[in-house]
Amino acid sequence: MKIKETIGIDVSKASLDAHIHSNKCKGTFENLEKGFVSLIKWAYANSGHPKENILFVFEHTGLYSEKLAEHLSSKAIPYTIVAGLQIKKSLGIVRGKDDRIDAAKIALYAYRLRDEIEISKVPSKQLRALKKLLSLRERLIKQRAGYKASLKEQKKVLAQKDFGLLFKVQKKMVAELTKQVEAIDAEMISIVKADTELDRIFKLLLTIRCIGNQAAMLLIVHTEGFTKFKNARQFAAYCGIAPYPHQSGTSIRGRSKVSPMANKTVKSMLNMCALSSIIYNAEIKKYYDQRVATGKNKMSTINIIRNKLVSRAFAVVNRGTPYVNVYRHAS
């Protein structure tokens, strides 16, 4: 596709502010189905370029931009969703905020990168459902942890006979949240099993030691079924576990370090998998012990293990065969 025109869209809860890059034409539309139809008609009527050369561009704003993406995808209209931070970093120092100006910035950003930009695709219905369930599960887990922590502390200083209802209510909340988390887990397994490709990937990931159901689910969702990233290194960068050099000229000669820009949810999950591997995986445990014994940093070693797990995940999915523990056969 040869992009000759970009249309920036600033998405908010109720409205869509659009800006055509070439002629600076502006428009505002409802963030509803009828608004999408009006937006497309307006864009094609005012751009002066063929439909096949026009690209719609907007930021990822969660639920607010999801319906727009689905509508454009259903009509086979090219669009790209970009992270707000990418646009902000690319435009230098910016003061103030205005939705129409933001739409113009989005259009400008996309036009500058029109030869490099990639067309977005809406994930499958199953992946979207899994993503929402995982998000809900995470919130429930945090709530349950909060009740457990307060209950534990209160038991240390408060008498059961004086605060029976206080303890009873919190115990019930913990039990109910646990029940709902289990229901979400069962539903996610059901969704995965109903899809042949997702089930195949899920089973392959589970063959890797210390990658369990939740880790496999997160990997599937955030890689969009291992189609969003070309290789393990790209996904490692997305997770914030890929080390980058830290040096400049002759004065700065720092150690390689990971970037703070990361998906913290996936990074945390990979960290737990790595720590579990150090305990329960003989091969990883031996590697960790040997490296630390030579004076290497513990955290950098754990990060290497996180990268190993990501590499193995991509390997088994791309190869289409289960992970083989060579270390066990060698011993």
Side-chain angles (χ1 to χ4, degrees):
M1 170 187 177
K2 181 67 175 177
I3 300 172
K4 296 181 179 179
E5 182 67 278
T6 57
I7 299 174
I9 306 170
D10 185 81
V11 181
S12 63
K13 182 178 180 179
S15 63
L16 306 171
D17 285 280
H19 180 97
I20 300 175
H21 175 72
S22 62
N23 57 21
K24 314 305 177 188
C25 189
K26 302 178 179 65
T28 302
F29 309 87
E30 288 184 279
N31 194 356
L32 298 169
E33 197 73 24
K34 62 180 182 179
F36 304 155
V37 174
S38 299
L39 167 64
I40 294 166
K41 287 182 179 178
W42 169 84
Y44 288 158
N46 290 279
S47 69
H49 290 279
K51 296 179 180 179
E52 59 271 17
N53 299 126
I54 298 173
L55 179 69
F56 291 82
V57 189
F58 49 97
E59 293 180 11
H60 174 71
T61 55
L63 288 173
Y64 299 155
S65 60
E66 190 172 286
K67 287 296 181 183
L68 175 59
E70 289 177 13
H71 182 85
L72 293 173
S73 182
S74 68
K75 303 296 182 182
I77 297 173
Y79 73 94
T80 290
I81 301 177
V82 294
L85 185 60
Q86 284 182 262
I87 299 171
K88 184 178 179 180
K89 292 279 188 181
S90 71
L91 297 177
I93 298 173
V94 177
R95 296 178 177 87
K97 171 141 179 44
D98 181 272
D99 289 346
R100 290 195 170 192
I101 294 175
D102 288 346
K105 291 174 183 175
I106 294 170
L108 173 61
Y109 167 83
Y111 189 79
R112 285 176 173 173
L113 297 176
R114 62 190 181 279
D115 294 329
E116 304 172 19
I117 210 159
E118 293 185 6
I119 307 302
S120 297
K121 295 180 181 178
V122 173
S124 67
K125 182 180 178 181
Q126 291 83 355
L127 284 171
R128 297 201 304 273
L130 286 174
K131 186 174 183 178
K132 287 180 172 59
L133 287 171
L134 279 170
S135 178
L136 176 58
R137 186 183 190 277
E138 185 180 358
R139 292 202 302 271
L140 296 181
I141 291 291
K142 287 181 179 177
Q143 291 176 17
R144 185 177 65 178
Y147 282 116
K148 283 184 174 180
S150 62
L151 191 58
K152 182 179 179 181
E153 292 303 313
Q154 288 166 3
K155 283 183 175 179
K156 291 179 180 178
V157 296
L158 301 178
Q160 176 75 36
K161 60 184 179 63
D162 297 328
F163 297 92
L165 182 60
L166 181 70
F167 295 151
K168 182 180 178 181
V169 170
Q170 291 182 98
K171 286 179 180 178
K172 282 188 175 181
M173 290 300 296
V174 169
E176 181 59 28
L177 288 169
T178 299
K179 180 181 176 182
Q180 297 307 321
V181 168
E182 290 172 352
I184 290 173
D185 289 343
E187 178 65 16
M188 288 194 296
I189 292 293
S190 176
I191 291 171
V192 167
K193 287 188 174 181
D195 186 288
T196 305
E197 179 62 11
L198 293 182
D199 189 44
R200 180 187 76 86
I201 295 172
F202 185 70
K203 288 177 178 176
L204 287 170
L205 292 174
L206 292 182
T207 63
I208 303 171
R209 189 75 182 272
C210 296
I211 288 186
N213 286 7
Q214 294 311 312
M217 289 288 183
L218 273 172
L219 288 171
I220 288 172
V221 167
H222 288 279
T223 60
E224 293 182 7
F226 285 81
T227 62
K228 186 177 180 180
F229 300 92
K230 294 180 181 179
N231 50 53
R233 171 71 185 187
Q234 283 190 357
F235 184 64
Y238 167 79
C239 300
I241 62 172
Y244 290 93
H246 183 69
Q247 52 185 283
S248 179
T250 58
S251 59
I252 300 176
R253 282 287 185 269
R255 294 182 301 178
S256 296
K257 56 178 69 175
V258 298
S259 170
M261 291 188 291
N263 184 309
K264 300 297 175 62
T265 300
V266 183
K267 185 175 182 178
S268 176
M269 177 272 296
L270 288 172
N271 193 62
M272 289 189 288
C273 291
L275 294 175
S276 178
S277 296
I278 293 170
I279 298 172
Y280 299 108
N281 188 325
E283 174 201 358
I284 297 295
K285 185 179 188 306
K286 182 178 179 181
Y287 171 79
Y288 176 82
D289 290 340
Q290 287 179 341
R291 198 167 190 277
V292 172
T294 61
K296 299 293 185 181
N297 183 274
K298 290 184 179 180
M299 198 60 235
S300 69
T301 306
I302 291 172
N303 193 61
I304 291 172
I305 295 170
R306 292 188 295 207
N307 278 278
K308 281 179 179 288
L309 293 174
V310 168
S311 297
R312 290 175 181 182
F314 272 78
V316 296
V317 173
N318 293 335
R319 193 175 59 231
T321 56
Y323 176 73
V324 177
N325 189 346
V326 179
Y327 180 84
R328 183 182 64 183
H329 292 292
S331 58

